[in-house]
């Protein structure tokens, strides 16, 4: 389970991460990462939110996909910059994806976003 202090709950944080963050897409997930430097030290934990739309499947499938993603992201929390916002959006293929495929897509997307950026790219 994802620690309570790392869960994104406010709509404006989701919106900020999706609109201003860098994005990496894979067949089962799209990951948005926004690095923030303006966060006080007491709020410096990275926050993670999940978007699982109806296109993924019925309520049972969506909740299972969300639980699987939460479990996978928990293992990558230490890699996220302090104060960052991470939004993981499940694509329709995530509902039927095997665990290892979902894990590989998430890790690949995070690797791409956590690479140092070159000039001119955000």
């Amino acid at each position: 389970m994802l620690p309570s202090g790392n869960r994104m709950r406010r709509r404006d944080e989701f919106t900020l991460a999706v609109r201003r963050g860098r994005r990496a897409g894979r067949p089962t997930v799209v990951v948005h990462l926004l690095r923030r430097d303006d966060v006080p030290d007491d709020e410096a934990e990275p926050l993670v939110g999940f978007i699982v739309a109806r296109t993924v499947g019925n309520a049972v499938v969506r909740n299972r996909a969300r639980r699987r993603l939460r479990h996978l992201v928990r293992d990558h929390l230490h890699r996220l910059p302090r104060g960052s916002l991470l939004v993981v959006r499940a694509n329709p293929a995530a509902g039927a994806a095997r665990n290892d495929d979902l894990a590989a897509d998430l890790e690949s997307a995070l690797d791409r976003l956590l690479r140092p950026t070159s000039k001119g790219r955000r």
Side-chain angles (χ1 to χ4, degrees):
M1 188 62 68
L2 193 64
S4 177
N6 292 106
R7 291 190 189 166
M8 189 182 302
R9 293 182 173 88
R10 296 181 19 216
R11 180 182 182 141
D12 60 333
E13 291 171 335
F14 277 90
T15 303
L16 189 65
V18 170
R19 290 189 181 166
R20 294 200 178 155
R22 292 181 60 213
R23 180 181 69 211
R26 296 292 178 261
T28 58
V29 294
V30 176
V31 179
H32 302 266
L33 177 67
L34 178 65
R35 298 171 190 245
R36 298 189 307 175
D37 298 324
D38 59 343
V39 179
D41 284 340
D42 58 341
E43 298 177 14
E45 290 294 319
L47 297 178
V48 182
F50 301 90
I51 300 172
V52 183
R54 288 184 181 170
T55 56
V56 173
N58 63 25
V60 173
V61 173
R62 291 193 311 267
N63 286 325
R64 184 180 327 123
R66 188 177 297 112
R67 284 193 308 269
R68 290 167 58 200
L69 287 169
R70 272 198 315 251
H71 178 75
L72 293 171
V73 168
R74 179 186 64 180
D75 296 335
H76 295 283
L77 278 177
H78 68 280
R79 298 175 58 196
L80 298 176
R82 293 187 63 78
S84 63
L85 299 176
L86 179 75
V87 173
V88 179
R89 184 169 40 114
N91 287 336
R98 295 184 346 206
N99 281 337
D100 54 346
D101 293 337
L102 198 59
D105 283 352
L106 179 67
E107 187 166 349
S108 174
L110 282 174
D111 286 344
R112 180 173 174 215
L113 291 176
L114 293 173
R115 260 188 267 156
T117 60
S118 60
K119 288 187 176 183
R121 295 190 66 188
R122 294 176 73 196

